[in-house]
Amino acid sequence: MTSTQLDQLCINTLRTLSIDAVQQAHSGHPGTPMGAAPTAYCLWQNFLRFDPAAPNWINRDRFVLSAGHACALLYSLLHLCGVKADSASYSTEDRLNQRLAVTLDDLKTFRQLGSRCTGHPESGWTSGVETTTGPLGQGAATSVGMAMAERWLAASYNRPDFDLFSYNVYALCSDGDMMEGITSEAASLAGHLKLSGLCWVYDANRISIEGATALTFTEEVATRFSAYGWQVLQIDNANDLTALRDGYQRFLASTDRPTLIIVRSHIGYGAPHKQDSSNAHGEPLGAEEVRLTKEFYGCDPDAQFDVPDGVIAHFSSQFGQRGATARADWTALFAGYRSQYPDLAEQLAQMQRRDLPRGWDDALPDFAADAKGLSTRDASSQVLNAIAAQMPWLLGGSADLAPSTKTHLTFDFAGDFQPPGDDPKTSYRGRNMHFGVREHAMCAIGSGLSLSYLRPYVSSFLIFTDYCRGALRLAAMMELPLIAIWTHDSISLGEDGPTHQPIEQLASLRAMPGMIVLRPADANEVVAAWRVIMQLTDKPVCLVLTRQALPTLDRASCASADGVAYGAYVLADAVDGKPDVLLLATGSEVALCMAAYEKLTADGIRARVISMPSWELFDSQSQDYRDQIMPPTVIARVAVEQASVFGWERYTGLTGAIIGMRSFGLSAPAAVVTQHFGFESAHVVAAAREQLTRQLPNQS
Amino acid sequence: MTSTQLDQLCINTLRTLSIDAVQQAHSGHPGTPMGAAPTAYCLWQNFLRFDPAAPNWINRDRFVLSAGHACALLYSLLHLCGVKADSASYSTEDRLNQRLAVTLDDLKTFRQLGSRCTGHPESGWTSGVETTTGPLGQGAATSVGMAMAERWLAASYNRPDFDLFSYNVYALCSDGDMMEGITSEAASLAGHLKLSGLCWVYDANRISIEGATALTFTEEVATRFSAYGWQVLQIDNANDLTALRDGYQRFLASTDRPTLIIVRSHIGYGAPHKQDSSNAHGEPLGAEEVRLTKEFYGCDPDAQFDVPDGVIAHFSSQFGQRGATARADWTALFAGYRSQYPDLAEQLAQMQRRDLPRGWDDALPDFAADAKGLSTRDASSQVLNAIAAQMPWLLGGSADLAPSTKTHLTFDFAGDFQPPGDDPKTSYRGRNMHFGVREHAMCAIGSGLSLSYLRPYVSSFLIFTDYCRGALRLAAMMELPLIAIWTHDSISLGEDGPTHQPIEQLASLRAMPGMIVLRPADANEVVAAWRVIMQLTDKPVCLVLTRQALPTLDRASCASADGVAYGAYVLADAVDGKPDVLLLATGSEVALCMAAYEKLTADGIRARVISMPSWELFDSQSQDYRDQIMPPTVIARVAVEQASVFGWERYTGLTGAIIGMRSFGLSAPAAVVTQHFGFESAHVVAAAREQLTRQLPNQS
């Protein structure tokens, strides 16, 4: 066979494997794999620099399938390219045996329990899947983070003659991706940042679930991306490999901006009754249509999961060889780098292991008791700067709120992350990132940075978590140690009013699987919280901070803030350690409970104050510990939090009291708002007393 | 004074009132009002068709302040224009006395408790505020809904010689609005729909909170909007009233597309030390800077809240006169219309009162018991169609998932909402809206439709509520009866896997103040749920529906679905009505509890099944009712829901059992997934038995 024939055979095998996987599963999305197969094939076979034996090689090109529903195509590529299992989700034996990331059996068990071929691509579960996708726009935005990481790594670690970092990031996007707001945000930022290593390939099949995209999506995408500062290329026919190759080459030749390649394709290409129809999108073709389609491709209509002779060898001879050579060259390069720059090489190793550098916590502040105190955002700013100064790959920024979230790195060598220009303090080496008013893209970019081994933080006001939950959720699902800093955490932000006062956001974040929420009560709890955060390697965290000053508790007369690590701890207790009533609080309401505690104690009531900055950490403690902190026999309980009461019954039960929010907030100065809603120690005292009255019959 | 001098005086008065309000409050955003005052003034004074005596006139032009932080400008306009209080949030006396919507006292109490001048504009609270804004992008997207409503109303109700609906919708947007993804989504759709009555005025002051927008936002906005299909006009100097006037006139002259007017302005215009600085954005200027600024304007530096002679008269003579005349003409027109088209006139009256038309529920289906049953999305589709056929202004659509959410109106005269073209079934009169893959914009547009008196529904998969919480929250805050239909409501959607399986979404929506969540258990609960929904006038609802079929319960052997109206009701009970254990469930898990109940009953255990489709409705019932349904003495309780367990402790207490989700889902067929996570009647039975064992000591 000629090379051209082999190319076509490979493309058709990608198609038929995808079709068969969906057909066998009675579920899935065949149409996009059929239409986009040549686009992806041309990229992988001719350009993608990826060693199938080392899918986690740090300088590999990234391929992000933003059109996650087309995962059968990605799985087929991983299988045919011989990508090896190289992630902790595979057994040690599988990894030692160089198991394929995706076997033919996996393809045959597409969308079945335990298969590596899940219904949408899941990073961490299937080697070669760079990021979890499916919800549209997430992959595209995450790819921007990966391309930013490459620029930062190159600027920070490359040295003369040592171009360690030079990878490209590709994302395959669908019509749906192009409609999502998060994609627009990410594209605008990528254009601003002149991310020349970023290439989005837009598989324009012009079909969406409700029908032709002409129903709702008639904008000129090419013009839009030109407006963002991108190079835009158009390819009229997805089956034209020459044009595709030319497109990718023009991307590689471009050095000053990201590239969008718009490829006109046909969903369900080759299916006689389903091509160019929304029916080809999200359901199997059906047995008869599968036969007819295979005939159209010139394939054996009776063969299923067929991998014709020569296909794997063809992938191996080009894709595989190129990747192996590239990595071998890089490994040699890195050996030289290591001997010349051992400290930098060690940093890169630590980074990839998600280790903390020695001395990362040497300069953490210790805050003296102070009735006036400071806001937890201010305390956090000090801690963040102290750690970041010791840990070069801790970096991030805010969605245009850094002066308010106090997340700016202020030390001299921090710099701004910007395309190199006239200002020597701005370059791709800068660690202060400016995301613009683009919360959703920011969080997905955070995941992209984290997937690239950096330690990113993002920030905004707590209320704006509502704008980025889609991305936060994927960070949690991917078990990424993304640090999300949310300030202005309650009605106590005051005058900005109910549109800006978070109420249900804390509950909503606590409800998210895999997410750690931390709401520290004072400056020293902030320090302890950062100790917890920095040691997380597989969970994102929401650090929730106040706008207003909080007293720094006198730890000589109450417990140390080290208890933060347990999620909840006894801050102050009944003299005999046998409380009759528990006061539970987080963040700014802890001091309120301390005031109530003092009054109750003076009145001879045995109360215990429990500071519980993190429900998730507390719930993960042993039953013993939890019972020790909240004795099951003490059912007189008062919880206090300037947030929705929703969820607090977990700790107060059916009979406890919750002083919280049951409505939206109000616009007024903070002191007026909190008084209006009853956040006063007198109310806590009264609630505690009432609890004790209610419980008396049970105790007698 | 010449008219030009009067114009300038009015503009400067808008500025100084705004400055003084912020200064007095020690809080707020003076910079944008100072820069954008001429832009807004020119529009209101010369073009906006708005009768200050009737701020709810249905054919008024809408002015949306998407840059909600600039609310001092809007309040100053409302005050100087003499807009009257005409919303239920004012006392009857105030309304009868034609109180101003915003008095000088309100301006003086900006951002204080009870003031009409809240920290961001709040629709419903302050007459003349068309929609609640502050979170960026929301106003812009909502304005698209308003413009769509105008097109629909015109197409549906205008008749030859009766141009009842002809209003324009203006939105004043900031740099931040332009960066948000929701704005991009909305703009793309508005361009597609050729909404020629929509004009966005982009106040481009090029300053954001972190500094110059050049830090992160260097795209060509004009080109981007051209790509969306908008007319784009650029005005170099916000103080050039002639250019502004020309811009608005060109908008009015355009008949085939929406218009973006980009106005280059200067934040903090006139403040000698703060103009063009981010310091002018979000804090008072300071007393000395205020003085200097007033001097620059040629105003008395010592006067505060000064309204010079002639200002109010000037507004009255132009803005006021034009609006009053327009409404008087319209009222006369409508009188003729009413006599010629009494039925249509009556529809418009009902619509504005949020009444239901007679016979709206005549054709509601009644579903016979059926073990196989049907999905609740399918049942809902039947109900929606039955109601919509009777209620012309019930309309909406999906974010490109209508075939899956089953929200398409299928009756003959429904049609598609599209710009008029060749297809007679598509026109602005169509009631099936195609939002594209733009969930966030869709929900804000839903609010815009609702604010325009229509009864809209929106829909997508439950998981994608994560993409649109910002807009849902504002619908709740505005107390709009928006109907949001969310299908594929649990891990039972199966193969699409964890990226698409909602877990924490139910809890997150339940935590939102003012939101009603309804998750019906079978087809007849769907009917009952729609009865509840249609009678809501001041709350949005999330109707949560299954992908999979659910048995239609035999209501002869259990309670009627009418109980849905109470949020929770006893579906099946212990024979003597004295249960020892409560089984609580919603939606698809109710049938599971019924199966467990039968087993328990056969074993002689007195169990009660409580179907609780809506926590919010149940929690709003009397204590008596709630205690009757869930007797406080029965603490053996098992809750079952295919969703995060988060929040269920409200009903199970510290000791009850919750069979729910504590992790993300998995990709596999529905039956496999549900079995994997333990949603089986045997587990419910076992949990109930264990509850009874645990409780025995207490009962003995």
Side-chain angles (χ1 to χ4, degrees):
Chain A
M1 271 191 282
T2 66
S3 177
T4 304
Q5 287 169 322
L6 271 171
D7 287 342
Q8 198 55 50
L9 186 64
C10 287
I11 290 167
N12 287 337
T13 304
L14 289 170
R15 286 170 167 150
T16 55
L17 284 178
S18 300
I19 289 169
D20 288 343
V22 172
Q23 190 65 27
Q24 175 109 334
H26 307 296
S27 169
H29 303 78
T32 300
M34 295 159 73
T39 306
Y41 172 77
C42 180
L43 170 60
W44 281 56
Q45 182 70 313
N46 299 302
F47 299 98
L48 201 74
R49 212 169 36 176
F50 186 104
D51 182 357
N56 295 324
W57 171 38
I58 194 169
N59 195 41
R60 70 190 181 280
D61 283 350
R62 267 65 165 183
F63 176 80
V64 170
L65 186 70
S66 194
H69 54 275
C71 53
L73 173 61
L74 176 56
Y75 299 142
S76 301
L77 280 163
L78 293 172
H79 175 69
L80 296 178
C81 289
V83 172
K84 298 295 193 295
D86 186 22
S87 108
S89 67
Y90 297 84
S91 69
T92 310
E93 196 188 340
D94 278 350
R95 278 177 281 151
L96 289 175
N97 291 340
Q98 291 263 295
R99 178 207 196 275
L100 288 177
V102 171
T103 65
L104 211 52
D105 274 347
D106 288 319
L107 280 169
K108 288 176 182 169
T109 55
F110 180 53
R111 298 189 150 220
Q112 309 305 304
L113 199 66
S115 173
R116 297 289 162 179
C117 296
T118 48
H120 288 85
E122 295 182 26
S123 164
W125 174 243
T126 311
S127 281
V129 171
E130 298 287 2
T131 181
T132 298
T133 53
L136 291 170
Q138 298 294 340
T142 303
S143 77
V144 173
M146 294 174 175
M148 289 167 68
E150 188 276 335
R151 291 288 75 195
W152 186 84
L153 285 165
S156 304
Y157 291 96
N158 287 3
R159 290 292 180 272
D161 298 327
F162 291 103
D163 260 355
L164 282 193
F165 294 98
S166 57
Y167 61 83
N168 293 306
V169 180
Y170 300 89
L172 184 68
C173 305
S174 62
D175 293 288
D177 283 303
M178 290 294 138
M179 296 189 222
E180 288 286 5
I182 183 176
T183 309
S184 298
E185 293 176 2
S188 174
L189 182 59
H192 167 78
L193 291 173
K194 303 184 193 298
L195 299 176
S196 59
L198 180 67
C199 179
W200 285 2
V201 186
Y202 166 26
D203 176 61
N205 63 37
R206 301 190 193 165
I207 294 296
S208 65
I209 290 173
E210 293 186 4
T213 53
L215 268 177
T216 178
F217 187 59
T218 46
E219 63 169 63
E220 293 169 9
V221 176
T223 308
R224 170 155 70 100
F225 275 73
S226 296
Y228 293 143
W230 289 50
Q231 171 180 226
V232 181
L233 311 174
Q234 307 218 40
I235 292 172
D236 295 336
N237 175 4
N239 292 310
D240 183 347
L241 290 180
T242 308
L244 284 167
R245 197 184 296 229
D246 179 59
Y248 290 122
Q249 270 157 350
R250 287 171 66 189
F251 156 63
L252 290 172
S254 168
T255 58
D256 62 347
R257 57 188 63 201
T259 294
L260 176 72
I261 306 179
I262 304 176
V263 183
R264 172 67 171 116
S265 72
H266 294 273
I267 195 168
Y269 175 78
H273 306 101
K274 294 207 166 179
Q275 179 179 315
D276 293 321
S277 143
S278 52
N279 294 332
H281 169 76
E283 55 193 55
L285 295 180
E288 184 52 25
E289 187 81 354
V290 169
R291 284 184 57 86
L292 295 171
T293 305
K294 288 181 179 174
E295 280 174 4
F296 174 85
Y297 296 151
C299 302
D300 178 355
D302 294 315
Q304 288 178 9
F305 295 100
D306 188 35
V307 180
D309 288 347
V311 165
I312 286 177
H314 191 52
F315 273 110
S316 175
S317 68
Q318 295 189 25
F319 170 86
Q321 271 303 323
R322 186 179 58 255
T325 304
R327 188 171 69 99
D329 292 349
W330 189 89
T331 305
L333 184 77
F334 189 70
Y337 183 88
R338 180 185 289 283
S339 63
Q340 198 159 342
Y341 305 103
D343 292 351
L344 295 180
E346 177 54 22
Q347 282 185 17
L348 289 170
Q350 287 179 331
M351 199 186 298
Q352 289 177 83
R353 291 194 307 263
R354 298 211 187 279
D355 281 354
L356 293 166
R358 194 145 41 144
W360 70 273
D361 59 350
D362 280 354
L364 289 188
D366 185 12
F367 293 91
D370 178 359
K372 192 180 163 212
L374 72 169
S375 69
T376 51
R377 64 177 168 147
D378 277 311
S380 176
S381 181
Q382 292 186 38
V383 181
L384 168 63
N385 271 280
I387 300 172
Q390 306 297 324
M391 184 166 173
W393 57 97
L394 177 61
L395 80 189
S398 169
D400 193 41
L401 284 172
S404 293
T405 60
K406 311 276 184 184
T407 46
H408 203 73
L409 301 183
T410 52
F411 44 84
D412 268 354
F413 53 93
D416 270 11
F417 182 84
Q418 292 284 1
D422 300 334
D423 181 350
K425 295 198 87 174
T426 66
S427 77
Y428 286 132
R429 203 178 166 177
R431 290 165 61 191
N432 284 304
M433 292 175 164
H434 298 277
F435 295 107
V437 190
R438 304 178 180 108
E439 298 83 5
H440 203 176
M442 172 180 73
C443 288
I445 288 169
S447 286
L449 296 168
S450 183
L451 286 162
S452 309
Y453 315 107
L454 310 184
R455 195 71 202 272
Y457 59 87
V458 297
S459 73
S460 181
F461 291 163
L462 180 57
I463 192 73
F464 297 126
T465 55
D466 279 354
Y467 273 47
C468 49
R469 285 182 67 86
L472 287 175
R473 187 175 208 256
L474 287 188
M477 199 177 293
M478 290 191 276
E479 303 181 347
L480 298 175
L482 175 67
I483 305 167
I485 301 168
W486 309 110
T487 69
H488 295 59
D489 71 345
S490 75
I491 54 169
S492 283
L493 65 83
E495 291 92 341
D496 271 352
T499 55
H500 285 59
Q501 290 166 352
I503 301 292
E504 71 278 26
Q505 285 65 29
L506 267 176
S508 301
L509 293 168
R510 287 171 178 151
M512 190 181 285
M515 176 63 74
I516 303 289
V517 180
L518 273 159
R519 186 171 186 247
D522 76 344
N524 287 310
E525 278 203 9
V526 169
V527 179
W530 271 100
R531 282 194 187 278
V532 170
I533 290 167
M534 292 311 297
Q535 293 175 73
L536 291 171
T537 58
D538 62 358
K539 281 190 195 317
V541 65
C542 287
L543 178 62
V544 175
L545 302 170
T546 64
R547 175 190 189 214
Q548 76 277 19
L550 302 182
T552 304
L553 299 173
D554 181 0
R555 297 284 168 173
S557 64
C558 66
S560 145
D562 294 349
V564 167
Y566 301 93
Y569 64 105
V570 177
L571 188 63
D573 207 0
V575 280
D576 57 358
K578 293 183 180 164
D580 287 329
V581 60
L582 308 181
L583 307 181
L584 317 173
T586 80
S588 47
E589 287 64 68
V590 170
L592 193 63
C593 284
M594 287 297 284
Y597 163 85
E598 276 159 31
K599 180 80 175 77
L600 289 166
T601 303
D603 292 353
I605 292 172
R606 293 182 301 186
R608 169 180 288 185
V609 177
I610 302 172
S611 175
M612 42 190 316
S614 173
W615 294 15
E616 301 77 27
L617 294 178
F618 180 61
D619 291 348
S620 70
Q621 303 304 319
S622 68
Q623 186 70 49
D624 264 7
Y625 180 81
R626 285 180 287 145
D627 287 350
Q628 188 186 319
I629 302 301
M630 296 184 199
T633 51
V634 185
I635 57 173
R637 301 179 177 195
V638 181
V640 192
E641 190 170 57
Q642 283 185 7
S644 169
V645 298
F646 197 90
W648 270 105
E649 293 90 347
R650 174 173 298 176
Y651 307 109
T652 60
L654 295 174
T655 56
I658 310 171
I659 298 176
M661 293 295 293
R662 290 171 171 82
S663 69
F664 291 109
L666 280 172
S667 171
V672 177
V673 176
T674 52
Q675 184 184 31
H676 178 87
F677 287 108
F679 294 95
E680 297 186 294
S681 63
H683 282 144
V684 181
V685 168
R689 287 184 175 282
E690 201 207 337
Q691 281 285 306
L692 290 167
T693 317
R694 287 177 62 127
Q695 304 306 333
L696 279 179
N698 285 353
Q699 294 178 341
S700 64
Chain B
M1 272 192 280
T2 66
S3 177
T4 305
Q5 287 170 320
L6 270 171
D7 288 340
Q8 199 54 50
L9 186 64
C10 287
I11 290 167
N12 288 336
T13 304
L14 289 169
R15 288 171 165 148
T16 55
L17 284 178
S18 299
I19 290 170
D20 288 342
V22 172
Q23 190 66 27
Q24 174 110 334
H26 306 296
S27 169
H29 302 78
T32 301
M34 293 159 74
T39 306
Y41 172 77
C42 180
L43 170 61
W44 282 56
Q45 182 70 311
N46 300 302
F47 299 99
L48 201 74
R49 211 170 35 177
F50 185 106
D51 182 357
N56 295 323
W57 171 38
I58 194 169
N59 195 41
R60 71 191 182 276
D61 283 350
R62 268 64 165 183
F63 175 80
V64 170
L65 186 70
S66 194
H69 54 275
C71 55
L73 173 60
L74 176 56
Y75 300 142
S76 300
L77 279 163
L78 292 173
H79 175 69
L80 296 179
C81 288
V83 173
K84 297 297 193 296
D86 186 20
S87 108
S89 67
Y90 298 83
S91 69
T92 310
E93 196 187 342
D94 279 350
R95 278 176 281 151
L96 289 175
N97 291 340
Q98 291 264 293
R99 178 205 196 274
L100 287 177
V102 171
T103 63
L104 210 53
D105 274 347
D106 288 319
L107 280 169
K108 288 177 183 171
T109 55
F110 181 52
R111 298 187 150 222
Q112 308 305 304
L113 199 66
S115 174
R116 298 288 162 179
C117 296
T118 50
H120 289 85
E122 295 182 27
S123 164
W125 174 243
T126 312
S127 281
V129 171
E130 297 286 3
T131 182
T132 297
T133 53
L136 291 170
Q138 298 294 340
T142 303
S143 76
V144 172
M146 294 173 176
M148 288 167 69
E150 188 276 336
R151 291 289 75 195
W152 185 85
L153 285 165
S156 303
Y157 291 96
N158 286 4
R159 289 293 180 273
D161 297 328
F162 292 104
D163 261 355
L164 281 193
F165 294 98
S166 57
Y167 60 83
N168 293 305
V169 179
Y170 300 88
L172 185 68
C173 306
S174 62
D175 293 288
D177 283 303
M178 290 294 137
M179 297 189 220
E180 287 286 5
I182 184 176
T183 309
S184 298
E185 293 176 1
S188 174
L189 182 59
H192 167 78
L193 291 173
K194 304 184 191 299
L195 299 176
S196 58
L198 180 66
C199 180
W200 286 1
V201 186
Y202 166 25
D203 175 61
N205 63 38
R206 300 189 194 167
I207 295 295
S208 65
I209 291 172
E210 293 185 3
T213 55
L215 268 178
T216 179
F217 187 60
T218 46
E219 62 170 63
E220 293 169 8
V221 176
T223 307
R224 169 155 70 100
F225 275 73
S226 296
Y228 294 142
W230 289 51
Q231 171 181 225
V232 180
L233 310 174
Q234 307 217 41
I235 292 173
D236 295 336
N237 175 3
N239 292 311
D240 182 346
L241 290 180
T242 307
L244 285 166
R245 197 183 296 229
D246 178 59
Y248 291 121
Q249 269 158 351
R250 287 171 66 191
F251 155 64
L252 291 172
S254 168
T255 58
D256 62 348
R257 58 188 60 200
T259 294
L260 176 72
I261 306 179
I262 304 176
V263 184
R264 173 67 171 116
S265 73
H266 295 273
I267 195 169
Y269 175 78
H273 306 100
K274 295 207 167 179
Q275 179 179 317
D276 293 320
S277 145
S278 52
N279 294 333
H281 169 75
E283 56 194 53
L285 296 180
E288 183 54 24
E289 187 79 355
V290 170
R291 283 183 57 85
L292 295 171
T293 306
K294 288 182 178 173
E295 280 175 3
F296 174 86
Y297 296 151
C299 302
D300 178 355
D302 295 314
Q304 288 178 10
F305 296 99
D306 188 35
V307 179
D309 288 347
V311 165
I312 287 177
H314 191 51
F315 273 109
S316 175
S317 69
Q318 296 189 25
F319 169 86
Q321 271 304 321
R322 187 179 57 255
T325 303
R327 189 171 69 99
D329 292 349
W330 189 91
T331 305
L333 184 76
F334 189 70
Y337 183 87
R338 180 185 290 281
S339 63
Q340 199 160 342
Y341 305 102
D343 293 351
L344 296 180
E346 178 54 23
Q347 282 186 17
L348 289 169
Q350 287 180 331
M351 199 185 297
Q352 290 176 82
R353 290 193 308 262
R354 299 211 189 277
D355 280 354
L356 293 165
R358 192 145 42 144
W360 70 274
D361 60 351
D362 280 354
L364 289 188
D366 185 12
F367 293 92
D370 178 359
K372 192 178 163 213
L374 72 169
S375 68
T376 50
R377 63 177 168 148
D378 276 311
S380 176
S381 181
Q382 292 185 39
V383 181
L384 169 62
N385 270 278
I387 300 171
Q390 306 297 324
M391 185 166 171
W393 57 98
L394 176 62
L395 80 189
S398 169
D400 193 41
L401 285 172
S404 293
T405 59
K406 311 277 184 184
T407 45
H408 202 75
L409 300 183
T410 53
F411 44 84
D412 268 354
F413 54 92
D416 271 10
F417 182 84
Q418 293 284 1
D422 300 334
D423 181 349
K425 294 198 87 173
T426 65
S427 77
Y428 286 133
R429 203 179 165 177
R431 290 165 61 190
N432 285 304
M433 292 174 164
H434 299 277
F435 295 107
V437 190
R438 305 178 180 109
E439 297 83 4
H440 204 174
M442 172 179 73
C443 288
I445 287 169
S447 286
L449 297 168
S450 183
L451 287 161
S452 309
Y453 315 107
L454 309 184
R455 194 70 203 271
Y457 59 88
V458 297
S459 74
S460 181
F461 291 164
L462 180 57
I463 192 73
F464 297 125
T465 54
D466 280 355
Y467 274 47
C468 47
R469 287 181 65 87
L472 288 175
R473 186 175 209 258
L474 288 189
M477 198 177 295
M478 289 190 277
E479 303 181 348
L480 298 176
L482 175 66
I483 305 167
I485 300 169
W486 310 109
T487 69
H488 294 59
D489 72 344
S490 74
I491 54 169
S492 283
L493 65 84
E495 291 91 343
D496 271 352
T499 55
H500 286 60
Q501 290 165 352
I503 301 291
E504 71 277 27
Q505 284 66 28
L506 268 176
S508 301
L509 292 168
R510 287 171 178 153
M512 190 180 284
M515 176 63 74
I516 303 289
V517 180
L518 273 160
R519 187 172 186 246
D522 76 345
N524 287 310
E525 278 202 9
V526 169
V527 178
W530 273 100
R531 282 193 187 278
V532 170
I533 291 167
M534 293 309 298
Q535 293 174 73
L536 291 170
T537 57
D538 61 359
K539 282 189 194 314
V541 65
C542 286
L543 178 62
V544 175
L545 303 170
T546 65
R547 176 190 188 216
Q548 78 277 19
L550 302 182
T552 304
L553 299 174
D554 181 1
R555 299 283 166 173
S557 63
C558 66
S560 146
D562 294 348
V564 167
Y566 301 94
Y569 64 105
V570 177
L571 188 63
D573 206 0
V575 279
D576 58 357
K578 292 182 180 164
D580 288 329
V581 60
L582 308 181
L583 307 181
L584 317 173
T586 80
S588 47
E589 286 65 67
V590 170
L592 192 64
C593 284
M594 286 298 283
Y597 163 84
E598 277 160 31
K599 180 82 174 77
L600 289 165
T601 303
D603 292 354
I605 292 171
R606 292 183 301 186
R608 169 180 288 185
V609 178
I610 302 172
S611 176
M612 41 189 315
S614 173
W615 294 15
E616 301 77 29
L617 293 179
F618 179 61
D619 292 348
S620 70
Q621 303 304 318
S622 69
Q623 186 71 48
D624 264 7
Y625 180 80
R626 286 180 285 146
D627 287 351
Q628 187 185 321
I629 303 300
M630 298 185 197
T633 52
V634 185
I635 59 173
R637 300 180 178 195
V638 181
V640 192
E641 190 169 57
Q642 284 185 7
S644 169
V645 298
F646 197 90
W648 270 105
E649 293 92 347
R650 174 174 298 176
Y651 307 109
T652 61
L654 296 173
T655 56
I658 310 172
I659 298 176
M661 294 295 295
R662 290 170 171 83
S663 69
F664 291 109
L666 279 173
S667 170
V672 177
V673 175
T674 52
Q675 185 184 31
H676 179 88
F677 287 108
F679 293 96
E680 297 185 295
S681 63
H683 282 145
V684 181
V685 168
R689 287 184 174 283
E690 201 208 337
Q691 281 285 306
L692 290 168
T693 316
R694 287 178 62 127
Q695 303 307 333
L696 279 178
N698 285 353
Q699 295 178 340
S700 65

